[in-house]
Amino acid sequence: MENQINYSTEKKENLKKPTVFNGKPTAAFIAASWTALLVGMISYCVGLWNAEMMLNEKGYYFVILLFGLFSVISVQKAVRDKQEGIAVTDIYYGISWFVTIASIVLLIIGLWNADLWLSEKGFYAMSFLLSLFAAIAVQKNTRDIKFLDENGAD
């Protein structure tokens, strides 16, 4: 019995330690995030500019885009603040999520009732969602870089 090897101890010793990740986004991810945001927003706005709809309808869809962008940035900030131990009130956190969902629901209702081709409805939905996702990524990158710059990380 003395010659037995304790494999569980040996395996633990041979495990490689994880690489330390400093959290700084790569230049490629930053560029991809900004590109996605600009492509989504510009596509959506060009689509509105060229759409054959009344000005008040164009305004409705444009305000929904702005509303959605602001709301997802607010959600990202609230989630990140909670994660970092920064005080976030439940009412602010809840409102941030509510307005994000409301912007998406308002777009769905508007597109459902719009006299547009299905391809146009899909175009607006996809460019809207691309813009929202990209805004979250850009906000995350911006916050990560600022945090690392203030704390002297590489």
Side-chain angles (χ1 to χ4, degrees):
M1 293 284 178
E2 291 177 27
N3 292 337
Q4 279 187 331
I5 299 172
N6 186 346
Y7 288 105
S8 62
T9 305
E10 186 177 311
K11 287 181 182 178
K12 287 179 185 175
E13 291 171 2
N14 290 334
L15 291 177
K16 292 182 180 179
K17 294 184 179 179
T19 305
V20 176
F21 177 68
N22 67 5
K24 188 169 187 174
T26 64
F29 185 68
I30 293 168
S33 300
W34 276 103
T35 301
L37 180 61
L38 293 174
V39 166
M41 288 175 56
I42 291 170
S43 297
Y44 188 94
C45 291
V46 167
L48 281 179
W49 183 267
N50 292 319
E52 293 182 17
M53 60 177 74
M54 295 192 314
L55 193 56
N56 63 336
E57 289 177 279
K58 290 180 180 185
Y60 173 81
Y61 289 112
F62 183 69
V63 168
I64 288 176
L65 176 65
L66 297 179
F67 184 48
L69 291 172
F70 182 79
S71 66
V72 295
I73 290 170
S74 189
V75 165
Q76 196 280 339
K77 180 186 178 346
V79 167
R80 184 73 175 265
D81 283 353
K82 284 182 113 178
Q83 187 180 46
E84 293 176 356
I86 300 170
V88 176
T89 62
D90 289 338
I91 190 87
Y92 181 79
Y93 186 72
I95 288 171
S96 297
W97 275 107
F98 174 76
V99 296
T100 296
I101 294 166
S103 70
I104 296 168
V105 169
L106 287 170
L107 180 74
I108 291 169
I109 291 169
L111 291 176
W112 184 273
N113 293 305
D115 187 24
L116 299 171
W117 292 358
L118 284 177
S119 59
E120 289 178 293
K121 291 179 181 186
F123 166 79
Y124 286 116
M126 295 309 296
S127 58
F128 180 79
L129 292 175
L130 173 65
S131 299
L132 295 189
F133 176 77
I136 292 168
V138 167
Q139 167 64 13
K140 180 199 175 301
N141 293 341
T142 303
R143 186 160 175 170
D144 287 346
I145 292 167
K146 183 174 177 49
F147 176 80
L148 292 169
D149 287 348
E150 289 175 352
N151 292 300
D154 290 330

